[in-house]
Structures are given as structure tokens and as C-alpha cells.
Coordinates of all heavy atoms in Angstrom, one line a residue:
M1 N 11.6 -99.3 -37.5 CA 12.3 -100.4 -36.8 C 11.7 -100.6 -35.4 O 11.2 -99.7 -34.8 CB 13.7 -99.9 -36.6 CG 14.7 -101.1 -36.5 SD 16.4 -100.5 -36.3 CE 16.9 -101.3 -34.9
S2 N 11.7 -101.9 -35.0 CA 11.1 -102.1 -33.7 C 12.1 -102.9 -32.9 O 13.0 -103.6 -33.4 CB 9.8 -102.9 -33.9 OG 10.0 -104.2 -34.5
R3 N 11.8 -103.0 -31.7 CA 12.6 -103.7 -30.7 C 11.6 -104.6 -29.9 O 10.4 -104.4 -29.9 CB 13.3 -102.7 -29.7 CG 14.4 -101.9 -30.4 CD 15.0 -101.0 -29.4 NE 16.0 -101.6 -28.6 CZ 16.8 -100.9 -27.9 NH1 16.7 -99.6 -27.8 NH2 17.9 -101.5 -27.2
L4 N 12.3 -105.5 -29.2 CA 11.4 -106.5 -28.4 C 11.4 -106.0 -26.9 O 12.5 -105.7 -26.5 CB 12.0 -108.0 -28.4 CG 11.8 -108.5 -29.9 CD1 12.5 -109.9 -29.9 CD2 10.3 -108.7 -30.2
C5 N 10.3 -106.0 -26.4 CA 10.1 -105.4 -25.0 C 9.3 -106.5 -24.2 O 8.4 -107.1 -24.7 CB 9.3 -104.2 -25.2 SG 9.1 -103.2 -23.6
K6 N 9.8 -106.5 -23.0 CA 9.2 -107.4 -22.0 C 9.0 -106.7 -20.7 O 9.9 -105.8 -20.3 CB 10.0 -108.7 -21.9 CG 9.4 -109.8 -21.0 CD 10.3 -110.9 -20.8 CE 9.8 -112.0 -20.0 NZ 10.7 -113.1 -19.9
I7 N 7.9 -106.9 -19.9 CA 7.7 -106.3 -18.6 C 7.8 -107.4 -17.5 O 7.3 -108.5 -17.8 CB 6.4 -105.5 -18.6 CG1 5.2 -106.3 -19.1 CG2 6.5 -104.2 -19.4 CD1 3.9 -105.7 -19.0
V8 N 8.1 -107.0 -16.4 CA 8.3 -107.9 -15.2 C 7.3 -107.4 -14.2 O 8.0 -106.5 -13.3 CB 9.7 -108.2 -14.8 CG1 9.7 -109.2 -13.7 CG2 10.5 -108.5 -16.0
P9 N 6.1 -107.5 -14.1 CA 5.2 -106.9 -13.2 C 5.5 -107.2 -11.8 O 5.4 -106.4 -10.8 CB 3.8 -107.5 -13.5 CG 3.9 -108.0 -14.8 CD 5.3 -108.4 -15.1
E10 N 6.2 -108.3 -11.5 CA 6.6 -108.7 -10.1 C 7.6 -107.7 -9.6 O 7.7 -107.6 -8.4 CB 7.3 -110.1 -10.1 CG 6.4 -111.2 -10.5 CD 6.2 -111.5 -12.1 OE1 6.7 -110.7 -12.8 OE2 5.6 -112.4 -12.4
R11 N 8.3 -107.0 -10.4 CA 9.4 -106.1 -10.0 C 8.8 -104.7 -9.9 O 9.3 -103.8 -9.2 CB 10.5 -105.9 -11.0 CG 11.4 -107.1 -11.1 CD 12.5 -106.9 -12.0 NE 13.4 -108.1 -12.2 CZ 14.2 -108.1 -13.2 NH1 14.4 -107.1 -14.0 NH2 14.9 -109.3 -13.4
C12 N 7.6 -104.4 -10.5 CA 7.1 -103.0 -10.7 C 6.6 -102.5 -9.2 O 6.0 -103.2 -8.5 CB 5.9 -103.1 -11.6 SG 5.1 -101.5 -11.8
I13 N 7.0 -101.3 -9.1 CA 6.7 -100.7 -7.7 C 5.6 -99.6 -7.9 O 5.4 -98.8 -7.1 CB 8.0 -100.1 -7.0 CG1 8.6 -99.1 -7.9 CG2 8.8 -101.3 -6.5 CD1 9.7 -98.2 -7.3
A14 N 5.0 -99.7 -9.2 CA 3.8 -98.8 -9.4 C 4.2 -97.3 -9.3 O 3.5 -96.5 -8.7 CB 2.6 -99.1 -8.6
C15 N 5.4 -96.9 -9.8 CA 5.9 -95.6 -9.6 C 5.2 -94.6 -10.6 O 5.1 -93.4 -10.5 CB 7.4 -95.4 -9.8 SG 7.9 -95.5 -11.5
G16 N 4.7 -95.2 -11.7 CA 3.9 -94.4 -12.6 C 4.7 -93.6 -13.6 O 4.1 -92.8 -14.5
L17 N 6.0 -94.0 -13.9 CA 6.8 -93.3 -14.8 C 6.7 -93.8 -16.3 O 6.7 -92.9 -17.2 CB 8.4 -93.5 -14.3 CG 8.9 -92.5 -13.4 CD1 10.4 -92.7 -13.1 CD2 8.7 -91.1 -13.9
C18 N 6.6 -95.0 -16.3 CA 6.7 -95.5 -17.8 C 5.6 -95.1 -18.7 O 5.8 -94.7 -19.9 CB 6.8 -97.0 -17.9 SG 5.6 -97.9 -16.9
A19 N 4.4 -95.0 -18.2 CA 3.2 -94.6 -19.0 C 3.3 -93.1 -19.2 O 2.6 -92.5 -20.2 CB 1.9 -95.1 -18.4
L20 N 4.0 -92.5 -18.3 CA 4.1 -91.0 -18.5 C 5.0 -90.7 -19.8 O 4.8 -89.9 -20.6 CB 4.9 -90.4 -17.3 CG 4.5 -89.0 -16.9 CD1 3.1 -89.1 -16.3 CD2 5.5 -88.7 -15.8
Y21 N 6.1 -91.6 -19.9 CA 6.9 -91.5 -21.0 C 6.3 -92.0 -22.4 O 6.5 -91.5 -23.3 CB 8.3 -92.0 -20.7 CG 9.1 -91.2 -19.8 CD1 9.5 -91.9 -18.5 CD2 9.5 -90.0 -20.0 CE1 10.2 -91.2 -17.6 CE2 10.2 -89.3 -19.2 CZ 10.5 -89.9 -17.9 OH 11.3 -89.2 -16.8
A22 N 5.8 -93.2 -22.3 CA 5.3 -93.9 -23.4 C 3.9 -94.4 -23.2 O 3.7 -95.7 -23.0 CB 6.3 -95.0 -23.7
P23 N 2.9 -93.6 -23.2 CA 1.5 -94.0 -22.8 C 0.9 -95.0 -23.9 O -0.1 -95.6 -23.6 CB 0.8 -92.7 -22.8 CG 1.6 -91.7 -23.5 CD 2.9 -92.2 -23.4
E24 N 1.5 -94.9 -25.1 CA 0.9 -95.8 -26.1 C 1.5 -97.2 -26.0 O 0.9 -98.1 -26.5 CB 1.1 -95.2 -27.5 CG 2.6 -95.5 -28.1 CD 3.6 -94.5 -27.3 OE1 3.2 -93.5 -26.6 OE2 4.8 -94.5 -27.7
V25 N 2.4 -97.5 -25.2 CA 3.0 -98.7 -24.9 C 2.7 -99.3 -23.6 O 2.3 -100.4 -23.4 CB 4.5 -98.8 -25.1 CG1 5.1 -100.1 -24.8 CG2 5.0 -98.4 -26.7
F26 N 2.7 -98.5 -22.6 CA 2.6 -98.9 -21.2 C 1.3 -98.3 -20.5 O 1.0 -97.2 -20.8 CB 3.9 -98.5 -20.3 CG 5.1 -99.0 -21.0 CD1 6.0 -98.2 -21.4 CD2 5.4 -100.4 -20.8 CE1 7.2 -98.6 -21.9 CE2 6.6 -100.8 -21.4 CZ 7.5 -99.9 -22.0
D27 N 0.8 -99.2 -19.7 CA -0.5 -98.8 -19.0 C -0.4 -99.5 -17.7 O 0.7 -100.2 -17.3 CB -1.8 -99.1 -19.7 CG -3.0 -98.4 -19.3 OD1 -2.8 -97.6 -18.4 OD2 -4.1 -98.6 -19.7
Y28 N -1.4 -99.4 -16.8 CA -1.3 -100.0 -15.4 C -2.6 -100.8 -15.1 O -3.6 -100.4 -15.7 CB -1.1 -98.9 -14.4 CG 0.1 -98.0 -14.7 CD1 -0.2 -96.6 -15.0 CD2 1.3 -98.5 -14.7 CE1 0.9 -95.8 -15.2 CE2 2.4 -97.7 -15.1 CZ 2.2 -96.3 -15.3 OH 3.2 -95.5 -15.6
D29 N -2.5 -101.7 -14.3 CA -3.7 -102.4 -13.9 C -4.3 -101.6 -12.7 O -3.8 -100.5 -12.4 CB -3.4 -103.9 -13.4 CG -2.5 -104.0 -12.2 OD1 -2.4 -103.0 -11.5 OD2 -2.1 -105.2 -11.9
D30 N -5.3 -102.1 -12.0 CA -6.0 -101.4 -11.0 C -5.1 -101.0 -9.8 O -5.3 -100.2 -9.0 CB -7.3 -102.3 -10.5 CG -8.3 -102.3 -11.6 OD1 -8.2 -101.5 -12.4 OD2 -9.2 -103.2 -11.5
N31 N -4.1 -101.9 -9.6 CA -3.1 -101.6 -8.6 C -2.0 -100.7 -9.0 O -0.9 -100.5 -8.2 CB -2.5 -102.9 -8.0 CG -3.6 -103.8 -7.4 OD1 -4.5 -103.1 -6.7 ND2 -3.7 -105.0 -7.7
G32 N -1.9 -100.1 -10.2 CA -0.9 -99.3 -10.6 C 0.3 -100.1 -11.3 O 1.4 -99.4 -11.4
V33 N 0.1 -101.4 -11.3 CA 1.3 -102.3 -11.8 C 1.2 -102.2 -13.3 O 0.2 -102.3 -14.0 CB 1.2 -103.6 -11.3 CG1 2.2 -104.6 -11.9 CG2 1.4 -103.6 -9.7
V34 N 2.5 -102.1 -13.9 CA 2.6 -102.1 -15.4 C 2.0 -103.3 -16.2 O 2.1 -104.3 -15.8 CB 4.1 -101.9 -15.7 CG1 4.9 -103.2 -15.5 CG2 4.4 -101.4 -17.2
L35 N 1.5 -102.9 -17.3 CA 1.0 -103.8 -18.4 C 1.2 -103.1 -19.8 O 1.3 -101.9 -19.8 CB -0.4 -104.4 -18.0 CG -1.5 -103.4 -17.8 CD1 -2.1 -102.7 -19.0 CD2 -2.6 -104.3 -17.1
F36 N 1.1 -103.9 -20.7 CA 1.2 -103.3 -22.1 C -0.1 -102.8 -22.5 O -1.2 -103.5 -22.3 CB 1.6 -104.3 -23.3 CG 3.1 -104.7 -23.1 CD1 3.4 -106.0 -22.9 CD2 3.9 -103.8 -23.4 CE1 4.8 -106.3 -22.8 CE2 5.3 -104.0 -23.3 CZ 5.8 -105.4 -23.1
S37 N -0.2 -101.5 -22.9 CA -1.6 -101.0 -23.1 C -2.3 -101.7 -24.3 O -3.5 -101.8 -24.3 CB -1.5 -99.5 -23.4 OG -0.4 -99.2 -24.3
Q38 N -1.6 -102.1 -25.3 CA -2.3 -102.8 -26.5 C -2.5 -104.3 -26.2 O -3.4 -104.9 -26.7 CB -1.3 -102.7 -27.6 CG -1.1 -101.3 -28.1 CD -2.4 -100.4 -28.4 OE1 -3.2 -100.9 -29.0 NE2 -2.3 -99.3 -27.8
E39 N -1.6 -104.9 -25.3 CA -1.7 -106.4 -25.0 C -1.6 -106.6 -23.5 O -0.7 -107.0 -23.1 CB -0.6 -107.1 -25.8 CG -0.7 -106.9 -27.3 CD 0.3 -107.9 -28.0 OE1 0.2 -109.1 -27.7 OE2 1.0 -107.3 -28.8
P40 N -2.7 -106.3 -22.7 CA -2.6 -106.3 -21.3 C -2.3 -107.8 -20.7 O -1.9 -107.8 -19.6 CB -4.0 -105.9 -20.9 CG -4.8 -105.7 -22.1 CD -3.9 -105.8 -23.3
K41 N -2.4 -108.8 -21.6 CA -2.1 -110.1 -21.0 C -0.7 -110.6 -21.4 O -0.3 -111.7 -20.9 CB -3.2 -111.1 -21.5 CG -4.6 -110.8 -20.9 CD -5.6 -112.0 -21.1 CE -6.9 -111.7 -20.9 NZ -7.3 -111.0 -19.6
A42 N 0.0 -109.8 -22.1 CA 1.3 -110.2 -22.5 C 2.3 -109.8 -21.6 O 2.9 -108.6 -21.8 CB 1.6 -109.7 -24.0
Y43 N 2.6 -110.5 -20.6 CA 3.6 -110.0 -19.6 C 4.8 -111.1 -19.5 O 5.7 -110.8 -18.8 CB 3.1 -109.5 -18.3 CG 2.2 -110.6 -17.6 CD1 2.9 -111.6 -16.8 CD2 0.9 -110.7 -17.8 CE1 2.1 -112.5 -16.1 CE2 0.1 -111.6 -17.2 CZ 0.7 -112.6 -16.3 OH 0.0 -113.6 -15.7
Q44 N 4.7 -112.2 -20.1 CA 5.6 -113.3 -19.9 C 6.3 -113.5 -21.2 O 6.9 -114.5 -21.4 CB 5.1 -114.5 -19.3 CG 4.7 -114.3 -17.8 CD 4.3 -115.5 -17.1 OE1 3.6 -116.3 -17.9 NE2 4.5 -115.8 -15.9
Q45 N 6.2 -112.6 -22.1 CA 6.8 -112.7 -23.4 C 7.2 -111.3 -23.9 O 6.7 -110.3 -23.5 CB 5.7 -113.4 -24.4 CG 4.7 -112.5 -24.7 CD 3.4 -113.2 -25.1 OE1 2.8 -113.9 -24.5 NE2 2.8 -112.9 -26.4
F46 N 8.2 -111.4 -25.0 CA 8.6 -110.2 -25.5 C 7.6 -109.7 -26.6 O 7.1 -110.7 -27.3 CB 9.9 -110.5 -26.2 CG 11.0 -110.2 -25.2 CD1 11.5 -111.3 -24.6 CD2 11.7 -109.1 -24.9 CE1 12.6 -111.4 -23.6 CE2 12.7 -109.0 -23.9 CZ 13.1 -110.1 -23.4
I47 N 7.2 -108.6 -26.7 CA 6.5 -108.2 -27.9 C 7.1 -107.0 -28.6 O 8.1 -106.4 -28.0 CB 4.9 -107.6 -27.4 CG1 5.1 -106.3 -26.6 CG2 4.2 -108.5 -26.6 CD1 3.8 -105.5 -26.7
A48 N 6.8 -106.8 -29.9 CA 7.5 -105.9 -30.7 C 6.9 -104.4 -30.4 O 5.7 -104.3 -30.4 CB 7.4 -106.2 -32.1
V49 N 7.8 -103.6 -30.1 CA 7.4 -102.2 -29.9 C 8.2 -101.3 -30.7 O 9.3 -101.7 -31.1 CB 7.5 -101.7 -28.5 CG1 6.6 -102.4 -27.6 CG2 9.0 -101.7 -27.9
K50 N 7.7 -100.1 -31.1 CA 8.5 -99.3 -32.0 C 9.6 -98.8 -31.3 O 9.6 -98.4 -30.0 CB 7.6 -98.1 -32.5 CG 6.6 -98.4 -33.5 CD 5.9 -97.2 -33.9 CE 4.7 -97.6 -35.0 NZ 3.7 -96.7 -35.0
D51 N 10.7 -98.7 -32.0 CA 12.0 -98.3 -31.4 C 12.1 -96.7 -31.2 O 12.7 -96.0 -32.1 CB 13.2 -98.8 -32.2 CG 14.5 -98.5 -31.5 OD1 14.5 -98.3 -30.4 OD2 15.6 -98.7 -32.3
Q52 N 11.4 -96.2 -30.3 CA 11.1 -94.8 -30.2 C 11.8 -94.4 -28.8 O 12.0 -95.0 -27.9 CB 9.7 -94.5 -30.1 CG 9.1 -94.6 -31.5 CD 7.6 -94.4 -31.4 OE1 7.0 -94.6 -30.3 NE2 7.1 -93.9 -32.5
E53 N 12.2 -93.2 -29.0 CA 12.9 -92.5 -27.9 C 12.0 -92.6 -26.5 O 12.6 -92.8 -25.5 CB 13.2 -91.0 -28.1 CG 14.2 -90.3 -27.2 CD 15.5 -91.0 -27.1 OE1 16.0 -91.6 -28.0 OE2 16.0 -91.1 -25.9
D54 N 10.6 -92.5 -26.7 CA 9.9 -92.5 -25.4 C 9.9 -93.9 -24.7 O 10.0 -94.0 -23.5 CB 8.5 -92.1 -25.7 CG 7.9 -92.7 -26.9 OD1 8.5 -93.7 -27.5 OD2 6.6 -92.4 -27.2
V55 N 10.0 -94.9 -25.6 CA 10.1 -96.3 -25.0 C 11.5 -96.5 -24.3 O 11.5 -97.0 -23.2 CB 9.8 -97.4 -26.1 CG1 10.0 -98.7 -25.5 CG2 8.5 -97.2 -26.6
I56 N 12.5 -96.0 -25.0 CA 13.8 -96.2 -24.4 C 13.9 -95.4 -23.2 O 14.5 -95.8 -22.1 CB 14.9 -95.6 -25.4 CG1 14.8 -96.6 -26.6 CG2 16.3 -95.6 -24.8 CD1 15.6 -96.2 -27.9
K57 N 13.4 -94.1 -23.1 CA 13.3 -93.3 -21.9 C 12.6 -94.1 -20.8 O 13.1 -94.1 -19.7 CB 12.6 -92.0 -22.2 CG 13.4 -90.9 -21.8 CD 12.4 -89.6 -22.2 CE 13.4 -88.5 -22.9 NZ 12.5 -87.4 -23.2
A58 N 11.6 -94.7 -21.0 CA 10.8 -95.4 -20.0 C 11.6 -96.6 -19.5 O 11.7 -96.8 -18.2 CB 9.4 -95.9 -20.6
Y59 N 12.3 -97.2 -20.4 CA 13.2 -98.4 -20.1 C 14.3 -97.9 -19.1 O 14.5 -98.5 -18.1 CB 13.7 -99.0 -21.4 CG 14.9 -99.8 -21.3 CD1 15.0 -101.0 -20.7 CD2 16.2 -99.3 -21.8 CE1 16.1 -101.7 -20.5 CE2 17.3 -100.0 -21.7 CZ 17.3 -101.2 -21.1 OH 18.5 -102.0 -21.0
K60 N 14.9 -96.8 -19.6 CA 16.1 -96.2 -18.7 C 15.7 -95.8 -17.3 O 16.4 -95.8 -16.4 CB 16.7 -95.2 -19.5 CG 17.6 -95.7 -20.7 CD 18.4 -94.6 -21.3 CE 19.2 -95.1 -22.5 NZ 19.7 -93.9 -23.3
R61 N 14.5 -95.2 -17.4 CA 14.0 -94.5 -16.0 C 13.3 -95.5 -15.1 O 13.2 -95.1 -13.9 CB 13.1 -93.4 -16.4 CG 13.6 -92.3 -17.3 CD 14.6 -91.3 -16.5 NE 15.4 -90.5 -17.4 CZ 15.0 -89.4 -18.0 NH1 13.9 -89.0 -17.7 NH2 15.9 -88.8 -18.7
C62 N 13.0 -96.5 -15.5 CA 12.3 -97.5 -14.6 C 13.3 -97.9 -13.4 O 14.4 -98.4 -13.6 CB 11.8 -98.8 -15.3 SG 11.2 -100.0 -14.1
P63 N 12.9 -97.6 -12.2 CA 13.8 -97.6 -11.2 C 14.2 -99.2 -10.8 O 15.1 -99.4 -9.9 CB 13.2 -96.9 -9.9 CG 11.8 -96.9 -10.2 CD 11.6 -97.0 -11.8
V64 N 13.3 -100.1 -11.1 CA 13.6 -101.4 -10.7 C 13.8 -102.4 -11.9 O 13.7 -103.6 -11.6 CB 12.3 -101.9 -9.9 CG1 12.2 -101.2 -8.5 CG2 11.0 -101.7 -10.6
R65 N 14.0 -101.8 -13.1 CA 14.2 -102.7 -14.2 C 13.2 -103.7 -14.5 O 13.4 -104.8 -14.7 CB 15.6 -103.5 -14.1 CG 16.8 -102.6 -13.9 CD 17.3 -102.3 -15.3 NE 18.3 -101.2 -15.2 CZ 19.1 -100.9 -16.3 NH1 19.1 -101.7 -17.3 NH2 19.8 -99.8 -16.2
A66 N 11.9 -103.1 -14.4 CA 10.8 -104.0 -14.7 C 10.5 -104.0 -16.2 O 9.5 -104.7 -16.6 CB 9.5 -103.5 -13.9
I67 N 11.2 -103.3 -16.9 CA 11.0 -103.0 -18.4 C 12.3 -103.6 -19.1 O 13.4 -103.1 -18.7 CB 10.8 -101.7 -18.9 CG1 9.4 -101.2 -18.3 CG2 10.7 -101.5 -20.4 CD1 9.2 -99.7 -18.3
L68 N 12.1 -104.6 -19.9 CA 13.4 -105.2 -20.5 C 13.3 -104.9 -22.1 O 12.2 -105.0 -22.6 CB 13.4 -106.7 -20.4 CG 13.3 -107.1 -18.9 CD1 13.3 -108.7 -18.7 CD2 14.5 -106.6 -18.1
L69 N 14.3 -104.4 -22.6 CA 14.4 -104.2 -24.1 C 15.5 -105.0 -24.7 O 16.6 -105.1 -24.2 CB 14.6 -102.8 -24.3 CG 13.5 -101.7 -24.5 CD1 14.2 -100.4 -24.9 CD2 12.6 -102.2 -25.4
E70 N 15.2 -105.7 -25.8 CA 16.3 -106.3 -26.6 C 16.6 -105.5 -27.7 O 15.8 -105.1 -28.4 CB 15.7 -107.8 -27.0 CG 15.9 -108.8 -25.9 CD 15.8 -110.1 -26.6 OE1 15.4 -110.3 -27.7 OE2 16.1 -111.1 -25.8
K71 N 17.9 -105.7 -28.2 CA 18.2 -104.9 -29.3 C 17.9 -105.5 -30.6 O 17.7 -106.7 -30.6 CB 19.7 -104.8 -29.3 CG 20.1 -103.8 -28.2 CD 21.6 -103.5 -28.3 CE 22.0 -102.4 -27.2 NZ 23.4 -102.3 -26.8
Ligands
SF4_1 S1 8.6 -97.3 -14.4 FE1 9.0 -99.4 -13.7 S2 8.4 -99.4 -11.6 FE2 7.5 -97.5 -12.5 S3 5.4 -98.2 -13.1 FE3 6.7 -98.5 -14.8 S4 7.4 -100.7 -14.8 FE4 6.6 -100.0 -12.7

């Protein structure tokens, strides 16, 4: 099962948490701002990600809600 995920780089404070939890989904640009590791240009659209605990953890732990998940 997968869920739709979107990132909001404008909110990201480059804390480095999300890729720690879900490195196969999240990565960072040269400034440490979040991007999708598989689709680095997809930041204004939802993409399907596996509904895994690590993605949910990253979503919950992001301090500025720069990661959005749809059910
Ligand atoms: S957890 Fe949130 S604030 Fe931290 S790097 Fe990831 S998207 Fe940015």
C-alpha cells in the first residue's frame, strides 16, 4: 500500500531528521533542504511513497510540517 507524500521546501529548516528516518524517500539539496531522493524535482506535487513506518516517523517528527502525507 502506498500513500501520497508532498514536501514543502520553503518550510524546511534543514534539520536533517527526515532522511535519517527514511533515507530511501528523503534527501537534501546542497543547502540541506529536503527533496525526494528518487524524484529531486518533484516538490510541488504529491508522489506515491510506500506506507511505511519510517516515512510516517519522518512525517511526524518534522518540526515545521514540511512533509505532508495524504491517507
Ligand atoms: S525533517 Fe522537516 S525540517 Fe527537517 S530536514 Fe526534513 S523536511 Fe526539513
Side-chain angles (χ1 to χ4, degrees):
M1 205 177 127
S2 64
R3 292 175 85 169
L4 293 175
C5 182
K6 185 179 177 178
I7 49 176
V8 187
E10 296 87 349
R11 290 185 191 168
C12 177
I13 56 169
C15 76
L17 272 180
C18 52
L20 214 70
Y21 290 117
E24 75 286 358
V25 175
F26 304 109
D27 198 0
Y28 309 115
D29 69 11
D30 291 343
N31 296 317
V33 173
V34 68
L35 47 78
F36 287 120
S37 46
Q38 303 300 319
E39 299 186 51
K41 294 196 192 310
Y43 57 86
Q44 287 181 331
Q45 69 207 59
F46 282 91
I47 70 161
V49 297
K50 283 186 188 157
D51 190 12
Q52 289 174 330
E53 192 57 38
D54 50 3
V55 176
I56 294 168
K57 232 181 227 175
Y59 159 73
K60 286 183 177 168
R61 300 282 164 84
C62 177
V64 291
R65 298 266 162 171
I67 296 169
L68 309 176
L69 266 187
E70 276 200 348
K71 288 187 179 165

